[in-house]
Amino acid sequence: MTYTICNIDKMILTSVTNNNLKMVPYPSHQYDLVYMFQRYSLNPESFIQWFIKKMNLTGNEVALELGCFSKIYWTHNLEYAQFFQKLYLVDEKIDNILQAKRILKKHSNINMTLHHSEGLDIENQTVDLVYSSNLDLKLDCYHPSLLSEVIRVLKADGTFYYTHILEDYYASIYRLLEEYDLNLYVNQLLSRHLQSNIQEVEQLLASTFSTIESSEYQTQWMVDNVDDLIGFILCDPEFKDIKNQIFKSGISKFRTFLQNKIEKLGGISVIRRVIVISCTQKRIYS
């Protein structure tokens, strides 16, 4: 597999952070995930804020992030970046890295090094921590080549943080739609946003690292505004193929259904669950 790497140093990260740059692929607009999270989340902190605390950063770490433009970035900004001495952003798609470069260049005088090669263009045992953004290590395209590269560049006392979304916000919406109309046939769409069994990944990581530890972070919205929820469903690209079916009998019927649930329950719960597997004491040395 060919990887693309964006290498940024601490001085640039600090400059970008001071400009409060939000690392989202597209600008936020009303009814998108950012809007809904900010307005309806019951959590005192976002996943990335919780994750920063978990990593116990000192400010001197060299870090490697895999899959840097995954969906996890909708809550992602660069507040964490100032804690790294150096950060490598890695993605299998060069377009994602070039997009990152365009976004970053708007906010500071950036000098970034880009690499496009079969392996990670990083020296052996020079990285303090590696973390992934929802990569599926069970796929042949990621295993074993990617893990081998992680092991090669990770220091002997380094940590690999594997993060994966067990249940995305969309799963809650699809359950709601199924309750509204069984004829929508959303089971296949729902299953795309659920990952109940990660034992295979845990076994893979346990064969690569001596110590692994799992923890989970759950984010919950409590949506009590019908118009915002309908706006979210209408505007989010996830529902583009099903929204016409939802509203075929008129929007008022669906609106009444939602309003009744809100009045009965005090709001509609929408949940996102992310697992983090912390891996230390690598077994393989290159």
Side-chain angles (χ1 to χ4, degrees):
M1 166 175 282
T2 300
Y3 304 104
T4 303
I5 302 177
C6 175
N7 175 12
I8 316 172
D9 64 27
K10 184 172 183 176
M11 179 183 67
I12 293 169
L13 291 174
T14 303
S15 174
V16 175
T17 304
N18 290 339
N19 283 284
N20 296 318
L21 169 64
K22 288 201 172 182
M23 283 286 287
V24 285
Y26 306 101
S28 175
H29 58 81
Q30 190 173 8
Y31 305 130
D32 68 2
L33 284 169
V34 176
Y35 170 84
M36 297 296 286
F37 175 84
Q38 291 174 344
R39 185 160 186 179
Y40 296 109
S41 176
L42 300 181
N43 299 70
E45 57 187 4
S46 66
F47 167 76
I48 193 63
Q49 291 170 328
W50 172 82
F51 189 41
I52 290 168
K53 293 177 181 177
K54 183 176 180 62
M55 288 191 288
N56 293 318
L57 301 175
T58 66
N60 297 315
E61 288 85 358
V62 175
L64 165 63
E65 180 169 7
L66 305 172
C68 66
F69 260 78
S70 70
K71 290 182 180 180
I72 202 170
Y73 261 97
W74 71 264
T75 57
H76 213 319
N77 60 44
L78 283 178
E79 63 187 73
Y80 70 92
Q82 60 187 309
F83 298 107
F84 297 140
Q85 189 66 37
K86 185 182 290 289
L87 175 64
Y88 296 98
L89 303 176
V90 176
D91 202 287
E92 72 274 18
K93 297 180 181 178
I94 192 170
D95 288 348
N96 289 347
I97 292 294
L98 292 176
Q99 181 165 263
K101 183 178 180 181
R102 285 194 297 270
I103 292 173
L104 291 168
K105 268 202 165 183
K106 293 177 183 177
H107 293 264
S108 64
N109 183 17
I110 286 189
N111 179 20
M112 292 191 295
T113 303
L114 297 181
H115 303 281
H116 192 59
S117 59
E118 289 298 322
L120 300 179
D121 193 4
I122 303 173
E123 294 182 7
N124 293 352
Q125 300 194 50
T126 56
V127 175
D128 296 288
L129 62 94
V130 180
Y131 59 104
S132 68
S133 292
N134 210 39
L135 295 180
D136 189 349
L137 291 179
K138 299 190 299 296
L139 297 179
D140 291 339
C141 61
Y142 292 128
H143 168 65
S145 61
L146 183 57
L147 264 183
S148 298
E149 284 293 272
V150 167
I151 291 299
R152 180 182 65 79
V153 303
L154 194 63
K155 292 180 180 179
D157 60 349
T159 303
F160 174 45
Y161 295 98
Y162 174 77
T163 69
H164 198 77
I165 299 174
L166 298 178
E167 179 176 346
D168 213 345
Y169 295 113
Y170 299 119
S172 296
I173 301 298
Y174 282 124
R175 289 193 187 100
L176 183 69
L177 296 177
E178 187 174 43
E179 181 182 348
Y180 169 66
D181 186 352
L182 291 174
N183 294 321
L184 290 176
Y185 303 110
V186 299
N187 283 341
Q188 187 173 357
L189 298 171
L190 171 62
S191 64
R192 292 189 320 197
H193 300 285
L194 293 174
Q195 181 66 50
S196 59
N197 186 0
I198 61 163
Q199 290 182 349
E200 187 176 342
V201 171
E202 289 178 322
Q203 291 172 0
L204 172 62
L205 293 173
S207 68
T208 311
F209 296 88
S210 297
T211 304
I212 66 170
E213 178 183 317
S214 298
S215 53
E216 184 179 314
Y217 188 77
Q218 178 173 297
T219 308
Q220 182 180 10
W221 305 344
M222 185 59 72
V223 184
D224 58 4
N225 184 292
V226 174
D227 293 328
D228 277 353
L229 191 55
I230 291 176
F232 172 60
I233 294 172
L234 285 174
C235 295
D236 196 293
E238 170 68 27
F239 306 106
K240 65 179 180 180
D241 295 329
I242 197 173
K243 63 184 180 183
N244 289 334
Q245 299 178 52
I246 300 171
F247 302 116
K248 64 182 179 181
S249 59
I251 198 169
S252 60
K253 179 182 176 183
F254 185 54
R255 196 178 194 286
T256 299
F257 165 77
L258 295 177
Q259 188 63 52
N260 288 338
K261 286 192 69 68
I262 289 173
E263 291 175 359
K264 181 180 179 180
L265 303 175
I268 293 174
S269 177
V270 181
I271 291 173
R272 184 177 192 254
R273 296 165 49 233
V274 182
I275 191 171
V276 176
I277 304 177
S278 306
C279 310
T280 55
Q281 298 178 319
K282 63 181 184 177
R283 296 181 185 274
I284 304 170
Y285 295 86
S286 301

